[in-house]
């Protein structure tokens, strides 16, 4: 079947990337390529749930391997935070997000991840404060920017009340 063929190609490419990362001694670009491949497969919607979770766990393991030798790699910090949030490990995700923002600053994407982590930690006042801040600095008039501001208004508690 088509799905079996895709999974076979995925498994073959995963093996190749794993071997390349091992041969290079865990070289950053090789480990990142493997982790990103695993995440891409997990998010593809092709695999069954158990294979998807296996791929996410393997990706997190690859990011953790990279962070063990390069703890300030902001790309690995942010990407691993997404996976940690998926697995319900919000405290560690928030720690990594804070470190990444100290290293490279904050983007809307990183702020969104941080708000997700704070929400999972039941830190709703902090979520509201962050939403208010991002609402005050958000720009753009395209559809995505408008949706972002609408969501931020809801989170900030500043949305119009319906009687």
């Amino acid at each position: 079947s088509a799905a079996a063929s895709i999974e076979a190609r995925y498994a073959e490419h995963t093996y190749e990337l794993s071997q390349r990362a091992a041969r290079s001694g865990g070289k950053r670009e090789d480990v990142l390529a493997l982790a990103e491949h695993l995440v891409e497969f997990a998010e593809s919607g092709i695999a069954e749930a158990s294979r998807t979770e296996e791929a996410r766990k393997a990706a997190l393991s690859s990011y953790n391997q990279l962070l063990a030798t390069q703890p300030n790699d902001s790309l690995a910090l942010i990407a691993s935070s997404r996976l940690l949030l998926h697995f319900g490990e919000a405290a560690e995700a928030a720690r990594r997000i804070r470190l990444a923002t100290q290293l490279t600053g904050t983007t809307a994407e990183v702020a969104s991840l941080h708000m997700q982590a704070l929400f999972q930690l039941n830190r709703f006042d902090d979520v509201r404060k962050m939403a208010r801040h991002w609402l005050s600095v958000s720009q753009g008039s395209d559809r995505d920017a408008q949706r972002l501001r609408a969501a931020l208004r809801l989170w900030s508690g500043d949305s119009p009340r319906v009687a």
Side-chain angles (χ1 to χ4, degrees):
S1 76
S5 174
I6 291 169
E7 281 215 41
R9 284 195 312 264
Y10 156 76
E12 183 179 320
H13 194 57
T14 301
Y15 177 77
E16 291 167 1
L17 290 171
S18 297
Q19 291 301 305
R20 186 168 67 189
R23 279 192 309 272
S24 74
K27 195 172 172 186
R28 179 183 187 269
E29 50 270 6
D30 294 334
V31 175
L32 284 177
L34 174 60
E36 289 166 358
H37 168 71
L38 292 164
V39 168
E40 184 178 290
F41 178 75
E43 294 176 353
S44 70
I46 294 170
E48 60 190 39
S50 63
R51 299 263 297 137
T52 296
E53 291 305 292
E54 287 172 15
R56 283 189 174 111
K57 287 176 184 174
L60 181 57
S61 176
S62 293
Y63 286 124
N64 288 341
Q65 174 190 343
L66 178 60
L67 290 168
T69 59
Q70 298 179 41
N72 293 333
D73 188 301
S74 59
L75 192 137
L77 287 165
I78 293 166
S80 65
S81 294
R82 272 189 215 93
L83 292 164
L84 289 165
L85 287 170
H86 172 80
F87 291 120
E89 297 181 37
E92 178 60 16
R95 186 194 70 75
R96 290 181 187 196
I97 292 165
R98 281 191 304 275
L99 178 56
T101 58
Q102 290 169 358
L103 296 168
T104 61
T106 303
T107 64
E109 177 192 11
V110 173
S112 174
L113 288 172
H114 198 185
M115 287 173 41
Q116 289 175 45
L118 294 171
F119 182 82
Q120 284 187 20
L121 293 167
N122 298 321
R123 291 176 47 193
F124 304 116
D125 287 338
D126 292 331
V127 171
R128 278 190 284 283
K129 287 176 192 172
M130 185 172 277
R132 285 184 187 122
H133 168 73
W134 278 98
L135 189 57
S136 73
V137 298
S138 69
Q139 298 177 356
S141 59
D142 65 3
R143 187 174 179 175
D144 287 339
Q146 290 172 358
R147 275 193 256 155
L148 173 63
R149 278 196 296 283
L152 290 170
R153 276 193 297 278
L154 287 171
W155 279 109
S156 71
D158 293 339
S159 62
R161 307 259 189 250
V162 176

